[in-house]
Amino acid sequence: MTALVENAWLVVAVPFGLALLVGLTGRILRGAVPWVTLLAPLTVLATGVAALSAEGEHADSVRWLFAGEKALSFGWSVDGLTAIMLTVVGFVATMVVLFSIGYMHGESGLPRYFASLSLFTGSMALLLVADGLVGLFVGWELVGACSYLLIGFWFRKPSAAAAAVKAFLTTRVGDVGLLLGLALLWRETGQLGYSAVFEAAEALPVATVTTVAILLFVGAMGKSAQFPLHIWLPDAMEGPTPVSALIHAATMVAAGVFLVARMWPLYELSETAQTVILVIGVFTALASATVACAQRDIKKVLAYSTISQLGFMFAALGAGAWVAAIFHLVTHAAFKALLFLGSGSVIHGTGTQDLREMGGLAKKMPVTALTWVIGSLALAGVAPLAGFFSKDEVIHAVLTRNTIAGLALLAASLLTAFYITRATRLAFFGEYRGDGHPHEGGLVMSVPLIALAVPAATLGFAGHFIAERLHEHAESLNMAVAAGSLAVAAVGIGFGLITYRNGAESEVAVENRMGKTWETLRGAYGFDAAVSALVVRPVTAICQWLYDVIDRKVIDASVESTGRWVPLLGRLLSSLQNGDAQWYAALLGAGVVGLIALLVTGGR
């Protein structure tokens, strides 16, 4: 196990190598493709587990790029934070690959799908083990590219192709902020390695540190779908559901939280940057929770839930409780991946994503129903499941920093319990309202659900262990906050059960009673439409004008006119070739006279 930690670069090399192997030989490997791909996340998982028990930090690097006397290094480093994240990514990715064997059965293009999963796993591992911001940025961009490939896996479906482009472009907006932050940091310190940056940052003006910190946070906002760069994640549900579990619940969207936590010594130097993160996190958590309450698509309920829970993590970071943020990241990875795969099992078994076309699935899909309920209770913050403990730490930290922000998170917690109860009631209880024949997906889909249900139920007791691995003091459970958050969860669940006691009939009644308010919530307050009207359409119109006028009528026209003049000139010159010797002699004489005149004139 020690050898894995000492050669942690394998968490990148093995997945990349397997992605290349599967991509090139997938048609030959055929049914073995998923099992070969499984080696990628297992390597990451094994390395993470080994690193959790290893002492000290293991690292190595090489000098890569030179700029005068300055040089950029590229290497790897494994500490407690890296070990925790590698374990999370490896475990979730392993479950996703296993689940995909059943969920994607019969689909075309499977070598491309599994190669992309392996490439994503390696890219995420690179982001985590990088010893500086250069390696992190490379992994950051590769993860974005893999997200584009996986969201748009069904690229012949227009909505999937559009969602992939939207995700890619929206996250690129955030990445511009990240890149500017790196450039400013390089200009001011000449360093991009973590330890060197932290040491140099202490001598920088507070204004410079704040600017760098906020620019880095803009990158985190894009990856972790925080307002106003959150609009890509709900549309990303167009990709295969296992992809949603891997990228949009547990790993890629958590990269922004990881970035801020990794750069925490920098953020400690700027109260302003922390306040910005706190405000954005709390607002995103509360607003997204309200939107999740009205969604009809089971995956979009979970999508807005993910945005909301990431808001909880950023709120904790803004309150200075980065350990609590990582703790909630870990527990959230387990129960949200479980819920996404559970929704995948429901979609696979019923053929629909619409909650109105489900119902009564607890009797027909008992394994899925049981594991879903465990994940739902963990998300709602019910003791003693994982979400209860981690959410309690987050709320306690935020209440300590700012009472209003803490109360807003309690309100978001109440809404969380409400919307997940609503989804559970409509999907799993009452009478079945669909046209299909609901069924479980077999062991290959049930085993990952059961495996994820275990940490979703028990990871709350790992808070002290996580804090120790991060070399920080573990916070004890605050009984007053715990009792309050538990009461809030109970109220949310009770309100959900009462409101939807009649299942689909209650859904219709709520929609009729709420009217336009419910439509506004379902449309996410019209923010996406506003972005399309105020940003996308004007930019598209400008680009279209540049193409029609500048490109076609100026640039292309000048090139095409050259093409028209050349044949005309050729025809004129060809008339000189008439076969008349006297004409040739006259031209020759004229040429000689012209040259003599040119020489005489030039000599003066």
Side-chain angles (χ1 to χ4, degrees):
M1 297 293 281
T2 304
L4 284 173
V5 182
E6 293 175 349
N7 297 281
W9 53 270
L10 289 173
V11 299
V12 180
V14 171
F16 279 15
L18 290 173
L20 184 62
L21 175 65
V22 170
L24 294 176
T25 65
R27 292 185 179 180
I28 299 173
L29 295 173
R30 295 181 181 275
V33 163
W35 305 103
V36 172
T37 304
L38 194 60
L39 295 174
L42 285 175
T43 301
V44 176
L45 176 60
T47 304
V49 172
L52 285 175
S53 58
E55 296 295 333
E57 182 177 344
H58 301 266
D60 194 12
S61 65
V62 296
R63 290 163 69 86
W64 184 36
L65 297 176
F66 297 87
E69 296 180 357
K70 299 178 181 179
L72 289 175
S73 64
F74 194 93
W76 59 269
S77 175
V78 177
D79 59 5
L81 179 57
T82 304
I84 291 169
M85 293 298 296
L86 286 176
T87 303
V88 170
V89 171
F91 181 70
V92 173
T94 299
M95 296 303 106
V96 166
V97 172
L98 281 174
F99 190 88
S100 295
I101 297 173
Y103 189 87
M104 300 298 289
H105 180 71
E107 292 283 349
S108 59
L110 287 183
R112 172 167 53 89
Y113 173 80
F114 283 103
S116 298
L117 283 182
S118 185
L119 184 62
F120 171 83
T121 304
S123 301
M124 190 68 196
L126 172 59
L127 186 157
L128 298 175
V129 301
D131 68 342
L133 290 164
V134 175
L136 179 141
F137 186 74
V138 174
W140 190 275
E141 294 304 309
L142 285 173
V143 163
C146 293
S147 174
Y148 169 81
L149 294 174
L150 288 166
I151 294 171
F153 174 73
W154 290 312
F155 59 89
R156 291 185 177 87
K157 183 180 177 184
S159 57
V165 172
K166 184 176 182 178
F168 189 81
L169 293 179
T170 305
T171 53
R172 293 292 78 71
V173 173
D175 292 354
V176 170
L178 175 59
L179 188 58
L180 290 175
L182 299 188
L184 180 57
L185 202 55
W186 172 258
R187 190 190 72 175
E188 296 295 327
T189 67
Q191 305 288 340
L192 287 178
Y194 292 136
S195 57
V197 164
F198 300 151
E199 182 178 350
E202 295 179 358
L204 294 177
V206 175
T208 301
V209 173
T210 298
T211 302
V212 171
I214 291 177
L215 286 172
L216 296 181
F217 175 59
V218 171
M221 288 167 59
K223 273 289 188 288
S224 295
Q226 295 297 284
F227 177 85
L229 300 180
H230 65 286
I231 55 176
W232 66 270
L233 195 144
D235 286 31
M237 298 302 106
E238 290 290 341
T241 304
V243 170
S244 302
L246 178 64
I247 296 181
H248 310 122
T251 55
M252 190 190 89
V253 292
V257 179
F258 170 79
L259 171 62
V260 176
R262 174 57 77 193
M263 299 298 293
W264 188 247
L266 183 74
Y267 282 91
E268 276 189 316
L269 303 175
S270 174
E271 285 287 331
T272 302
Q274 291 183 41
T275 301
V276 170
I277 295 174
L278 177 64
V279 171
I280 294 294
V282 171
F283 179 80
T284 304
L286 183 57
S288 298
T290 62
V291 174
C293 293
Q295 300 304 307
R296 293 169 175 168
D297 186 324
I298 189 172
K299 287 178 67 176
K300 286 201 172 182
V301 173
L302 299 179
Y304 283 105
S305 172
T306 297
I307 298 172
S308 178
Q309 294 301 305
L310 288 165
F312 273 82
M313 298 174 209
F314 279 110
L317 291 168
W322 72 278
V323 175
I326 295 298
F327 184 24
H328 194 51
L329 183 156
V330 173
T331 62
H332 176 263
F335 60 71
K336 189 54 66 65
L338 170 61
L339 289 172
F340 263 112
L341 292 186
S343 71
S345 180
V346 168
I347 294 167
H348 181 270
T350 63
T352 182
Q353 296 179 198
D354 195 327
L355 288 166
R356 297 171 299 175
E357 298 173 4
M358 299 177 188
L361 299 181
K363 297 178 182 179
K364 302 175 183 295
M365 305 176 66
V367 175
T368 300
L370 177 60
T371 54
W372 172 277
V373 169
I374 292 173
S376 298
L377 293 175
L379 171 62
V382 174
L385 304 180
F388 166 75
F389 293 95
S390 60
K391 191 179 291 186
D392 173 76
E393 281 198 23
V394 170
I395 294 175
H396 181 216
V398 175
L399 278 170
T400 302
R401 174 68 180 268
N402 186 290
T403 303
I404 295 176
L407 292 176
L409 287 189
L410 283 172
S413 296
L414 188 149
L415 292 171
T416 300
F418 171 78
Y419 68 65
I420 199 61
T421 300
R422 167 183 174 267
T424 302
R425 176 67 179 86
L426 292 177
F428 291 97
F429 298 96
E431 298 297 324
Y432 180 58
R433 301 178 295 276
D435 298 325
H437 301 282
H439 59 279
E440 296 282 10
L443 281 176
V444 76
M445 292 175 66
S446 297
V447 168
L449 295 178
I450 296 170
L452 283 166
V454 174
T458 61
L459 268 179
F461 299 102
H464 285 274
F465 174 77
I466 290 173
E468 289 174 2
R469 292 302 297 136
L470 298 176
H471 304 292
E472 293 286 339
H473 174 69
E475 295 290 338
S476 299
L477 185 68
N478 184 286
M479 297 308 296
V481 175
S485 62
L486 191 59
V488 164
V491 170
I493 292 173
F495 186 52
L497 291 175
I498 293 172
T499 303
Y500 291 92
R501 60 187 178 276
N502 295 323
E505 295 178 7
S506 297
E507 175 72 2
V508 174
V510 169
E511 291 187 5
N512 292 335
R513 185 165 60 251
M514 298 294 289
K516 290 185 178 181
T517 301
W518 214 241
E519 293 179 11
T520 301
L521 291 178
R522 186 173 298 120
Y525 299 102
F527 185 79
D528 207 343
V531 170
S532 296
L534 300 177
V535 179
V536 177
R537 290 175 189 169
V539 170
T540 302
I542 292 171
C543 292
Q544 188 65 46
W545 180 85
L546 290 172
Y547 172 75
D548 292 337
V549 178
I550 305 300
D551 189 46
R552 291 294 300 145
K553 295 183 178 180
V554 178
I555 299 175
D556 286 358
S558 63
V559 174
E560 292 167 359
S561 64
T562 302
R564 288 192 295 269
W565 280 103
V566 168
L568 178 59
L569 182 61
R571 286 194 295 271
L572 292 174
L573 293 176
S574 66
S575 64
L576 301 177
Q577 303 291 330
N578 56 12
D580 187 344
Q582 292 179 342
W583 174 247
Y584 293 162
L587 289 177
L588 180 60
V592 171
V593 172
L595 287 174
I596 293 173
L598 182 63
L599 290 172
V600 172
T601 304
R604 293 179 182 177

